[in-house]
Amino acid sequence: MIKAYQKDEELFQDILKTKNNHSGLRVWWLGQSGFLVQWNGIHVLFDPYLSDSLTKKYENTEKPHVRMSEKAIDPEKLDFIDVVTSSHYHTDHLDAETLKPILRQKKDIKFIIPEANRSFVSERVDCAPNFALGMTDGTEISFSEEVKITALASAHNELEKDEFGNNKFLGFILNIGPYTLYHSGDTLWYEGLEEKVKAFAPDVLFLPINGNRPERMVAGNMSAEEAAKFGKVVNSGIVIPHHFHMFEFNTEDPDSFAKYAQVHHTKYQILKIGQSFKLD
C-alpha cells in the first residue's frame, strides 16, 4: 500500500490553515482524479473518489480493483466544499459513498454534472432530479464574478452524446479569481481538444496518464507521453498528472510521465496523495 503524503486529520488541518487566505491558490491531490482547489475561502472539489466501493464491487471477479494507495480523507470531514464535480458516470468519478456525505454537509453546495447523466446521477447519489447543475460541451456556469466553470467535451473513448446532443463525458475549465485550471476528467487526446484548451490559457492542467489498453476491459485515457505532449502543445501552464496509483490493473508509473515531460520540456508537478501545490 502506497502511503499518503498526509491524510485524515493532518490533511484536514493543512486545508483549514489556509482556508481564508486572500492570496495564492492551493491544490491538493486526493487520489485518482480527485483534486481540491482552494482560493480566497472558496473550495472546488473535482471528481472525488474517497471510498473502497469499487474494490468491494469487483472482489472475486475477473477485473479486481485492488487499491494501491491509502485513502486521503473521510468525505464526512469535507463540510466546507462550495462546488463539487462529476465529469462522467464511472464510479471513480461518481461515487455514492463519497458524494452522499459531501452533498449533505452544506445546503448551498453546487453539484456539476453532464446533463446527459442527470437521471443516472439522481439515482446513484439519491438527490432530487433537478438538484445537480447539468452541463455539456461549451456551456458555462458562473457562481460569482470570480468563479466560473466551462464544460469541454471529453472522449472516453468516444465523444459520446445522448439523444439530445448532450455530452456524456466532460472536462472542466475553472476560472477562479486570477487563475484558470483545466480538469480533463477521463479523456483521450481527440482532434481539436488542444485548441479548445489552449484558448483558455490554463495555469494548471490536470491530465490522466494511465493510457488506453483494451486488455484492461475499461475505457482509456491519454498515455503518459500523450499527457506530456499535450501540456507542451497548450504551453501555458503546469501539468499535474492524475489517474494513477489507485487500482493495480489500471495505472501508470508517474516516473514515466516525468521522463516524457522532460523530453518535451513540459512544465509539470507530480503530487503524492494528500500533497498540495501552490500558485502565488
Side-chain angles (χ1 to χ4, degrees), residues 6-239:
Q6 58 183 352
K7 63 178 182 173
D8 300 329
E9 188 63 20
E10 184 182 9
L11 172 57
F12 182 62
Q13 292 302 322
D14 190 42
I15 296 166
L16 289 188
K17 75 182 181 185
T18 53
K19 184 177 178 182
N20 295 311
N21 280 17
H22 297 297
S23 63
L25 175 141
R26 292 185 79 191
V27 173
W28 289 263
W29 185 42
L30 302 184
Q32 196 66 335
S33 302
F35 290 91
L36 175 60
V37 177
Q38 180 190 77
W39 175 78
N40 199 27
I42 298 168
H43 295 84
V44 178
L45 181 58
F46 287 111
D47 286 29
Y49 176 75
L50 297 168
S51 82
D52 283 321
S53 61
L54 283 168
T55 300
K56 290 180 282 188
K57 178 180 178 180
Y58 288 101
E59 190 176 11
N60 299 319
T61 71
E62 64 176 0
K63 194 168 59 178
H65 284 50
V66 179
R67 176 182 270 276
M68 297 177 65
S69 296
E70 292 184 312
K71 283 182 281 187
I73 195 167
D74 184 343
E76 292 277 1
K77 297 188 75 70
L78 301 179
D79 60 355
F80 48 83
I81 302 300
D82 299 289
V83 181
V84 60
T85 74
S86 166
S87 63
H88 62 283
Y89 59 85
H90 293 153
T91 303
D92 55 333
H93 299 259
L94 179 68
D95 179 41
E97 290 186 24
T98 298
L99 288 167
K100 283 182 179 181
I102 292 171
L103 293 173
R104 68 170 176 250
Q105 294 291 332
K106 200 172 182 213
K107 288 183 179 179
D108 60 348
I109 192 170
K110 303 298 188 294
F111 183 28
I112 305 296
I113 64 167
E115 179 61 35
N117 299 342
R118 181 173 295 279
S119 296
F120 186 93
V121 169
S122 177
E123 240 180 76
R124 175 165 286 184
V125 304
D126 194 25
C127 66
N130 63 349
F131 172 70
L133 301 173
M135 303 189 76
T136 192
D137 185 42
T139 59
E140 299 178 358
I141 296 178
S142 293
F143 301 101
S144 68
E145 290 184 0
E146 297 175 313
V147 182
K148 179 177 73 173
I149 288 182
T150 305
L152 299 182
S154 288
H156 191 47
N157 282 2
E158 306 296 330
L159 289 167
E160 195 175 342
K161 298 181 180 181
D162 67 8
E163 64 268 34
F164 303 107
N166 297 312
N167 295 85
K168 294 185 178 182
F169 306 101
L170 294 177
F172 301 106
I173 296 287
L174 171 64
N175 297 107
I176 184 164
Y179 307 99
T180 301
L181 298 85
Y182 170 58
H183 188 288
S184 64
D186 280 357
T187 192
L188 301 178
W189 183 350
Y190 64 86
E191 185 177 355
L193 178 60
E194 69 277 12
E195 294 304 323
K196 288 183 179 183
V197 175
K198 193 173 184 178
F200 290 91
D203 301 294
V204 179
L205 300 91
F206 304 113
L207 301 178
I209 63 168
N210 61 304
N212 183 29
R213 300 180 187 175
E215 66 270 19
R216 292 175 174 170
M217 298 182 289
V218 292
N221 284 316
M222 293 182 193
S223 67
E225 183 172 15
E226 288 168 333
K229 285 183 178 178
F230 190 90
K232 181 60 177 178
V233 169
V234 172
N235 199 33
S236 64
I238 190 163
V239 176

Side-chain angles (χ1 to χ4, degrees), residues 240-257:
I240 299 180
H242 64 82
H243 217 297
F244 66 93
H245 282 179
M246 180 57 71
F247 302 116
E248 288 181 356
F249 83 105
N250 191 14
T251 189
E252 178 57 89
D253 183 349
D255 289 342
S256 177
F257 166 75

